[in-house]
């Protein structure tokens, strides 16, 4: 029997390895940008087409590569960043494995132009599916330009499972943010389909954060700074009142490398204890510096997961530092400086007795005086209260036919759960500010007020999105909301649908959303939370056939606009809620499939006492 174990060809091994390193276009963007940073670039251009599926191009002014280095850079496990295993515990660069470029070359078509400052000519290199198809000298400027075209062209199964352009672009933008935030000393730009999204100049960390997240972010930041033997912390946290339902604005950087760490995240969140609303997440941009030998980065190919030697101590230091920063912010937010013009000298206050001001009243003044036609002078008239009349007199002369009653609608608004004589006799009350309980002749009806209102709003919004436009309430003063550029882009894509529900946008540009009209059911104070939830839902990697866009939008808005548990309702509001619920097509469950009400019959109540 012949041997069955054999060595895989290089191109097959490269494609297998590429699956771990290159998961989507954003993975390529991350590796190329980090290579530019490692090359000492001070200017970087990122050019994307079709969310990275057609083209990913990075141009930098780094130190460049020789002809031999350019060829070797695309060999597996070839790197200039480490030499021995001990170097893994003293990493000063972003990359170190020597796998990224080889993995990208295995599943894409690559063109490289690179030149060192001391060389007269640069190098042109073309690679397709790990095979070098062209290599020759070329005239080019110092630095490196790498173009990655037709990603996954030879792995159609992987290309098929890429998400929509909007989702892939969001992931690329996230990687761009992570590199740009930690290296404000580098001027970096980002262009997608010939549209400039970011053009960031050299700046400080705070200026870079504000440039990316919007000008109004500056007033939301609280500085954090702490230096210990184990760790140095610098950065910013968001003020508690600006916390969001999503976790989008949370950034940890360790030794200038973006990481994800749930344990350290818990340290920051616990420092905000008692300051945040329920289910809100604080924003933070924290730059941690630790000894290189106390952190292990070689955990996962994406290098976003790390292990620390002493996580418990780092947790305590981070939590205390954030608490200290919040304490300083709370103290500094109180203005103890009194305006000088209001200060009274002590000797004046002591020697001079203050006197109450004298008030003079004209007893002859009458606001109801009338002007005489003859003398053009004012005469005093006495005001007499009109004789009281019974309230029925207000409706005298009104014909009975003028009553606007849609009996057909009334019949439809109440299902068979209420008998006709029960509708008039039933009592209604609220329990724990969560349940609406109505008494019936047959028993009790227990309704979850939040879910009921959510169902009512869902059907109303879905009808507005698909059949008719919603009514909008005009605002006296437009609402301005500051959002990151990519979130504004999401709202631009949803603008038509949102306007069907009653929103009216004055402008959707850069980092600012200006709203001049709202749906009738939406309170002005809830607008940021509703838009935030809509954006977060749109950014999820949901299958395209899971929900229609209109259905998804109606669900999200209804869930965030509905009456919340804890809100007190009047009897009239509770009655209307129950009536509108049973006028819905599906009154029993929410759009998410949760039960809305239960009916407790007399027999079921009697069984509880047996």
């Amino acid at each position: 029997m012949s041997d069955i174990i054999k060595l895989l060809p290089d191109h097959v091994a490269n494609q297998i390895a590429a699956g771990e390193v290159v998961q989507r276009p954003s993975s390529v963007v991350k590796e190329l940008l980090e290579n530019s940073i490692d090359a000492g670039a001070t200017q970087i251009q990122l050019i994307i087409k079709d969310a990275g599926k057609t083209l990913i191009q990075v141009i930098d002014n780094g130190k460049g590569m020789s002809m031999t280095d350019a060829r070797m850079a695309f060999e597996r496990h070839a790197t200039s960043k480490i030499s021995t295993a001990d170097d893994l515990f003293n990493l000063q660069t972003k990359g170190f494995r020597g796998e990224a470029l080889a993995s990208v070359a295995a599943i894409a078509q690559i063109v490289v132009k690179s030149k060192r400052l001391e060389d007269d000519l640069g190098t042109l290199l073309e690679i397709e599916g790990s095979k070098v198809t062209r290599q020759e000298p070329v005239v080019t400027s110092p630095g490196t330009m790498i173009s990655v075209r037709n990603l996954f062209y030879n792995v159609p199964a992987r290309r098929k499972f890429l998400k929509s352009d909007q989702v892939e672009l969001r992931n690329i933008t996230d990687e761009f943010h992570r590199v740009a935030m930690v290296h404000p000393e580098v001027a970096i730009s980002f262009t997608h389909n010939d549209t400039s999204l970011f053009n960031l100049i050299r700046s400080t960390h705070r200026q870079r954060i504000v440039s990316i997240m919007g000008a109004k972010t500056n007033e939301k930041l609280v500085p954090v700074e702490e230096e210990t033997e184990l760790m140095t912390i610098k950065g910013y946290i968001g003020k508690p009142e600006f916390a969001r339902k999503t976790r989008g604005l949370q950034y940890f950087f360790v030794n200038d490398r973006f990481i994800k760490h749930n344990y350290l995240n818990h340290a920051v969140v616990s420092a905000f204890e008692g300051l945040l609303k329920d289910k809100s997440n604080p924003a933070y941009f924290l730059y941690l510096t630790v000894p290189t030998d106390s952190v292990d980065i070689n955990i996962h190919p994406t290098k976003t997961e790390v292990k620390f030697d002493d996580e418990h101590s780092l947790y305590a230091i981070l939590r205390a530092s954030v608490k200290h920063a919040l304490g300083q912010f709370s103290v500094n937010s109180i203005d103890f400086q009194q305006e000088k013009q209001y200060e009274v000298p002590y000797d004046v206050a002591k020697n001079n007795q203050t006197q109450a001001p004298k008030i003079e009243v004209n007893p002859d003044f009458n606001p109801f005086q009338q002007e005489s036609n003859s003398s053009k002078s004012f005469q005093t008239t006495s005001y007499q209260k009109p004789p009281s009349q019974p309230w029925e007199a207000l409706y005298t002369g009104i014909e009975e036919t003028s009553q606007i009653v849609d009996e057909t609608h009334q019949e439809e608004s109440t299902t068979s759960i209420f008998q006709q004589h029960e509708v008039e006799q039933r009592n209604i009350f609220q329990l724990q500010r969560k349940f609406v309980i109505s008494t019936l002749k047959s028993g009790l009806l227990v309704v979850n007020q939040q879910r009921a209102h959510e169902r009512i709003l869902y059907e109303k919004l879905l009808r507005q999105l698909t059949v008719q436009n919603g009514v909008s309430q005009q605002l006296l003063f437009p609402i301005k909301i500051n959002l990151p550029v990519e979130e504004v882009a999401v709202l631009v894509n949803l603008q038509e649908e949102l306007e069907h529900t009653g929103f009216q946008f004055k402008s959707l540009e850069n980092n600012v959303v200006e709203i001049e009209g709202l749906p009738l059911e939406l309170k002005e104070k809830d607008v940021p939370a509703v838009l935030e939830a809509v954006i977060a839902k749109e950014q999820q990697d949901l299958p395209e056939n899971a929900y229609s866009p209109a259905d998804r939008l109606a669900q999200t808005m209804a869930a965030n606009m509905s009456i919340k548990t804890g809100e007190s309702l009047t009897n009239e509001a509770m009655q209307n809620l129950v009536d509108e619920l049973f006028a819905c097509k599906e009154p029993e469950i929410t759009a998410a499939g949760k039960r809305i009400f239960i009916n407790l019959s007399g027999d079921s109540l009697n069984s509880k006492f047996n």
Side-chain angles (χ1 to χ4, degrees):
M1 186 175 181
S2 61
D3 298 331
I4 60 173
I5 297 177
K6 56 186 177 182
L7 197 64
L8 288 173
D10 287 343
H11 70 279
V12 177
N14 287 341
Q15 286 189 12
I16 294 172
E20 295 183 359
V21 179
V22 183
Q23 300 171 353
R24 58 199 325 162
S26 60
S27 305
V28 178
V29 171
K30 173 182 181 293
E31 299 295 345
L32 296 184
L33 289 178
E34 289 183 347
N35 281 344
S36 295
I37 296 293
D38 287 341
T42 58
Q43 291 183 341
I44 302 175
Q45 299 177 50
L46 172 62
I47 300 170
I48 301 294
K49 287 189 177 179
D50 300 328
K53 299 172 184 177
T54 302
L55 173 68
I56 300 172
Q57 187 177 64
V58 173
I59 306 171
D60 66 54
N61 64 345
K63 58 187 177 183
M65 295 180 287
S66 66
M67 183 174 291
T68 302
D69 286 344
R71 180 70 177 264
M72 284 294 295
F74 292 91
E75 297 294 332
R76 186 159 300 281
H77 307 305
T79 181
S80 62
K81 298 166 186 179
I82 63 172
S83 301
T84 66
D86 293 337
D87 294 337
L88 290 172
F89 303 99
N90 190 29
L91 289 172
Q92 305 293 335
T93 57
K94 305 285 187 186
F96 55 87
R97 291 199 181 100
E99 290 183 331
L101 291 180
S103 298
V104 174
I107 42 84
Q109 300 165 336
I110 294 181
V111 177
V112 181
K113 289 182 180 180
S114 187
K115 176 182 176 294
R116 296 182 300 185
L117 187 61
E118 63 269 22
D119 293 338
D120 295 329
L121 291 175
T123 301
L124 171 65
L125 192 67
E126 293 184 3
I127 303 174
E128 187 171 330
S130 296
K131 296 181 180 180
V132 178
T133 58
R134 184 181 178 190
Q135 182 175 357
E136 61 186 35
V138 68
V139 176
T140 185
S141 56
T144 302
M145 183 276 292
I146 298 183
S147 299
V148 179
R149 300 179 184 275
N150 301 322
L151 193 64
F152 298 121
Y153 81 100
N154 55 353
V155 191
R158 291 294 300 275
R159 189 174 180 89
K160 178 182 178 181
F161 286 100
L162 290 177
K163 304 294 182 180
S164 66
D165 284 2
Q166 181 180 340
V167 173
E168 296 299 344
L169 180 60
R170 178 173 59 86
N171 284 288
I172 291 173
T173 305
D174 287 343
E175 295 295 346
F176 176 84
H177 286 172
R178 293 165 185 175
V179 174
M181 280 186 193
V182 79
H183 293 286
E185 73 281 0
V186 178
I188 184 168
S189 64
F190 179 13
T191 302
H192 178 250
N193 288 347
D194 299 324
T195 301
S196 178
L197 300 182
F198 295 94
N199 189 8
L200 308 175
I201 62 174
R202 300 179 66 179
S203 58
T204 63
H205 280 110
R206 184 168 192 142
Q207 290 169 338
R208 179 57 59 88
I209 292 170
V210 171
S211 298
I212 293 174
M213 298 301 169
K216 289 192 176 181
T217 307
N218 190 44
E219 65 190 37
K220 305 176 184 178
L221 299 179
V222 177
V224 180
E225 190 165 351
E226 192 70 43
E227 187 171 351
T228 67
E229 294 181 357
L230 294 177
M231 176 172 61
T232 299
I233 304 172
K234 292 184 179 181
Y236 303 91
I237 54 176
K239 295 178 182 178
E241 59 265 33
F242 297 110
R244 306 175 60 175
K245 295 293 184 183
T246 58
R247 295 179 58 177
L249 300 181
Q250 296 183 341
Y251 293 88
F252 273 126
F253 302 97
V254 173
N255 295 350
D256 291 343
R257 184 190 303 275
F258 173 80
I259 67 163
K260 296 178 181 178
H261 206 286
N262 290 332
Y263 190 57
L264 294 184
N265 176 73
H266 187 272
V268 176
V269 173
S270 63
F272 279 83
E273 186 177 0
L275 300 175
L276 298 177
K277 297 179 181 178
D278 186 34
K279 296 182 181 179
S280 294
N281 296 285
Y284 56 78
F285 309 87
L286 296 174
Y287 304 85
L288 315 180
T289 304
V290 301
T292 54
D293 58 354
S294 68
V295 58
D296 186 3
I297 297 172
N298 193 25
I299 302 296
H300 192 272
T302 60
K303 307 180 189 122
T304 57
E305 298 179 17
V306 299
K307 292 289 185 182
F308 295 98
D309 283 350
D310 190 358
E311 290 185 341
H312 296 289
S313 297
L314 299 184
Y315 180 100
I317 294 170
L318 183 59
R319 185 174 184 271
S321 301
V322 174
K323 265 187 171 294
H324 179 66
L326 287 170
Q328 285 188 321
F329 155 69
S330 299
V331 171
N332 291 336
S333 64
I334 302 173
D335 185 11
F336 293 102
Q337 299 297 325
Q338 189 178 15
E339 294 292 340
K340 292 183 178 180
Q341 58 265 34
Y342 297 114
E343 294 179 356
V344 180
Y346 176 73
D347 55 345
V348 174
K350 181 179 179 181
N351 299 325
N352 293 279
Q353 297 292 333
T354 58
Q355 297 179 354
K358 295 181 179 180
I359 301 175
E360 296 181 356
V361 178
N362 181 7
D364 297 327
F365 173 75
N366 189 337
F368 299 100
Q369 286 176 337
Q370 295 180 353
E371 186 177 2
S372 172
N373 294 331
S374 60
S375 62
K376 302 295 182 181
S377 62
F378 289 98
Q379 297 179 351
T380 303
T381 59
S382 60
Y383 171 76
Q384 295 183 351
K385 183 178 179 181
S388 59
Q389 297 179 355
W391 64 269
E392 293 89 344
L394 297 174
Y395 299 93
T396 303
I398 299 178
E399 298 180 0
E400 294 182 359
T401 56
S402 65
Q403 295 178 357
I404 305 175
V405 177
D406 187 353
E407 296 180 356
T408 306
H409 178 70
Q410 283 188 342
E411 291 179 1
E412 292 178 353
S413 66
T414 308
T415 61
S416 59
I417 194 167
F418 296 117
Q419 299 297 329
Q420 184 64 31
H421 58 278
E422 289 181 347
V423 175
E424 300 174 357
Q425 297 176 358
R426 75 181 190 266
N427 295 319
I428 197 165
F429 61 93
Q430 192 178 25
L431 177 64
Q432 297 178 343
R433 294 188 178 182
K434 181 177 182 179
F435 302 103
V436 173
I437 299 180
S438 178
T439 58
L440 306 174
K441 187 175 182 180
S442 57
L444 291 176
L445 176 72
V446 183
V447 180
N448 185 305
Q449 66 183 37
Q450 180 173 349
R451 295 181 183 179
H453 196 217
E454 185 178 328
R455 182 73 211 186
I456 294 166
L457 290 176
Y458 166 74
E459 292 199 4
K460 185 179 294 185
L461 289 168
L462 191 61
R463 190 163 54 249
Q464 292 169 356
L465 287 166
T466 55
V467 180
Q468 62 186 19
N469 292 340
V471 180
S472 177
Q473 53 178 332
Q474 297 298 308
L475 298 174
L476 184 60
F477 301 104
I479 300 174
K480 289 186 178 181
I481 302 175
N482 184 256
L483 295 171
V485 173
E486 65 274 13
E487 294 188 2
V488 175
V490 173
L491 293 181
V492 171
N493 292 334
L494 292 174
Q495 182 175 357
E496 184 177 352
E497 289 84 355
L498 289 170
E499 288 178 346
H500 283 313
T501 67
F503 277 100
Q504 288 189 4
F505 296 97
K506 187 175 182 181
S507 65
L508 282 165
E509 297 177 353
N510 299 326
N511 294 96
V512 181
V513 176
E514 194 168 0
I515 305 169
E516 56 185 4
L518 298 176
L520 287 177
E521 297 83 2
L522 181 58
K523 299 176 183 177
E524 190 171 330
K525 66 181 179 64
D526 295 332
V527 173
V530 170
L531 291 183
E532 180 185 329
V534 168
I535 292 168
K537 193 73 171 181
E538 265 320 285
Q539 290 180 334
Q540 289 181 2
D541 295 346
L542 296 174
E544 294 184 0
N545 57 352
Y547 299 99
S548 69
D551 190 77
R552 185 167 62 244
L553 180 59
Q555 281 192 41
T556 306
M557 290 184 63
N560 287 273
M561 291 167 57
S562 60
I563 298 169
K564 299 298 183 289
T565 298
E567 291 190 34
S568 180
L569 303 178
T570 64
N571 283 355
E572 184 180 2
M574 288 187 282
Q575 195 84 359
N576 290 336
L577 183 72
V578 174
D579 290 342
E580 288 186 28
L581 172 64
F582 288 99
C584 293
K585 294 180 179 179
E586 286 286 347
E588 295 186 2
I589 58 173
T590 65
K594 296 180 180 179
R595 194 170 185 179
I596 297 176
F597 70 86
I598 58 174
N599 186 15
L600 297 176
S601 65
D603 293 338
S604 64
L605 290 174
N606 285 330
S607 66
K608 301 294 182 183
F609 294 93
N610 294 333

